Amino acid sequence: MSNAESTAVQSTSLWAAKPWWCQPWTIVLTGFLVPVASWLLLHRVWVTAPVVGAVLLWWWLFLVIAPAAYHQALVDAQSTDQATAP
């Protein structure tokens, strides 16, 4: 398999292109730990609640929207490649 083919195979997954610290498991783990740390350190609902909201927004962006957009871009690129192929 050539380097170009290897890159094409790996690029089918958004997570294959990301480093270890930007994988779904690290996003979820950090998303759990940050509100827990906020609560354990401060014991303030008015601080922890916005932290939880920010984490949920962060999860939505990086675990739902980004992979869907990446997949759609791949589908669009493949359909463009097929349309321009002789």
Side-chain angles (χ1 to χ4, degrees):
M1 182 180 296
S2 74
N3 191 23
E5 291 171 336
S6 175
T7 302
V9 169
Q10 289 179 349
S11 68
T12 60
S13 170
L14 170 66
W15 305 114
K18 299 289 184 185
W20 68 268
W21 50 265
C22 193
Q23 295 294 317
W25 68 271
T26 60
I27 294 170
V28 171
L29 181 62
T30 305
F32 279 117
L33 292 179
V34 169
V36 168
S38 170
W39 179 254
L40 291 176
L41 291 172
L42 303 172
H43 296 287
R44 301 284 186 255
V45 173
W46 61 271
V47 173
T48 304
V51 169
V52 169
V55 165
L56 292 174
L57 183 64
W58 179 43
W59 281 352
W60 180 256
L61 178 64
F62 286 103
L63 298 176
V64 178
I65 294 175
Y70 187 83
H71 177 73
Q72 187 60 45
L74 284 177
V75 169
D76 292 347
Q78 288 173 352
S79 65
T80 302
D81 290 344
Q82 291 175 356
T84 59

